[in-house]
Amino acid sequence: MPAIVIVGAQWGDEGKGKITDMLAEGVDVVVRYQGGANAGHTMVVDGTSYIVHMIPSGILYDDKICIIGDDVVVNPKILISEIDKMEARGISTKNLRISCNAHMVMPYHMELDRLEEELKGKHKIGTTGRGIGPTYVDKAGRLGIRVVDLFDKDEFIGRLGHTLKYKNLILREIFKHKGYEVEDIAGEYLEYGKRLAPYVADTSMIISQALREEKFVLLEGAQGTLLDVTHGTYPYVTSSHPISGGACIGAGIGPCKIDRVLGITKAYTTRVGEGPFPTELMDDTGEHLRKKGGEFGTTTGRPRRCGWLDAVLLRYSVRINSMSALAMTKLDVLDELPVIRICTGYQVGDEIIREFTTDIRKLRESTPVYEELPGWQTDTSKITDFRDFPDETKSYIRRVEELIHAPIAIISVGPDRQQTVLFRKFV
Ligand code: IMP
């Protein structure tokens, strides 16, 4: 049985939660491999919606092992509150496992995220304010505190004291913040440790074992390719690796174990936070996409920036992730539009670029070159078979496939599990 990676093909919020949740029905293990509570997945089942930030989407099935992997940064307070909410709604979390290697978001990370954004002024990233960047900085800087540290009181207090020496210097000297004492944090976190203890495990071992037993493993990325710290629109990125390559690190398995990569794209493009976005629409069409698509952040409630589908960006995403196929979500949001545009190049000065660039100066200066297709102006939200789509819809999907050099296997026409068209075989 295969290991499949699900990855966001744009700037996040592509609807990965719905697709993961849908595919999860046939899988044994779901692994969230990076990011933290900056993500927000909405799953809708029979009209009831569930929003999770930390827990993998497979949690709605009570026979799936759901793993928070090695490269996730865990905010224990948010995680415990999600566990409690799920249990209160009758959804069991007994199969949830948290990697002992995962680093933890500490109160000073949240504070530093906010203060650094303030200091950056017009250069701010527009982060979600969840302490993600500062936590990964400490991980790379070898000042981080991992989930495993919660289970040795002396080790935890020792590490925290050592880290606070550095953090307090920054907080007090640069930001005039009062800083933190070990006692402000230790008691609270050691209590979290007691709550989380039953869930903590060597998750790489569980995943390897599952693969050995030919079980089906789904590796779920948060955010999207263009937010990858190396391959995204740096510096307007998150601090982890949402791309498929990140799945190996976050699951603790090697690349040969991964069989397929499914990219998720919206039928248009959105972005939250700052940074270049060549196909952004500042007009009524952009407003229409935002309203009809409900384009407001799941984590922060911020309105998302909206624009046309960018095939240049998607082809890059297909390459960086080695995508085997894509799922296209929110196609129904385009239903009323008389004309649909696809970006096929960027005009930068006298030059037309056909391949994506992570040079953000070029991206900022670029004017999109569009191809125009007729809209279908038909309600597609109840269609479940590709053959029932209007011809214009079929043409749009097929043209996108041509431009991005990858098949679109799944099409989603609404938030519910049933509102899905399986177009091509993927697994
Ligand atoms: P951070 O991950 O909170 O540090 O934010 C860095 C950038 O990534 C900002 O532009 C955020 O808006 C964006 N971002 C982080 N998480 C998500 C997400 O789940 N969806 C969309 N954008 C995100």
Side-chain angles (χ1 to χ4, degrees), residues 219-238:
L219 305 152
E220 170 192 23
Q223 289 85 43
T225 301
L226 277 301
L227 288 174
D228 186 275
V229 67
T230 300
H231 294 283
T233 45
Y234 191 89
Y236 299 99
V237 291
T238 190

Side-chain angles (χ1 to χ4, degrees), residues 188-228:
E188 181 188 340
Y189 271 66
L190 290 167
E191 278 309 306
Y192 293 150
K194 288 185 195 149
R195 276 297 314 275
L196 294 178
Y199 300 101
V200 176
D202 178 343
T203 50
S204 156
M205 189 80 100
I206 297 172
I207 299 163
S208 297
Q209 176 76 17
L211 289 171
R212 243 195 328 273
E213 290 167 7
E214 309 237 306
K215 291 194 171 147
F216 193 156
V217 176
L218 195 72
L219 305 152
E220 170 192 23
Q223 289 85 43
T225 301
L226 277 301
L227 288 174
D228 186 275

Side-chain angles (χ1 to χ4, degrees), residues 4-8 16 19-20 23 33 218-221 242 262 264:
I4 290 184
V5 179
I6 292 204
V7 59
K16 295 178 290 293
I19 305 295
T20 308
L23 293 180
Y33 60 80
L218 195 72
L219 305 152
E220 170 192 23
L262 180 68
I264 317 292

Side-chain angles (χ1 to χ4, degrees), residues 11-13 38-40 125-129 132-133 223 227 237-238 272-273 302:
W11 278 290
D13 307 317
N38 48 350
I125 307 299
T127 72
T128 58
I132 305 300
Q223 289 85 43
L227 288 174
V237 291
T238 190
V272 251
R302 290 181 289 179

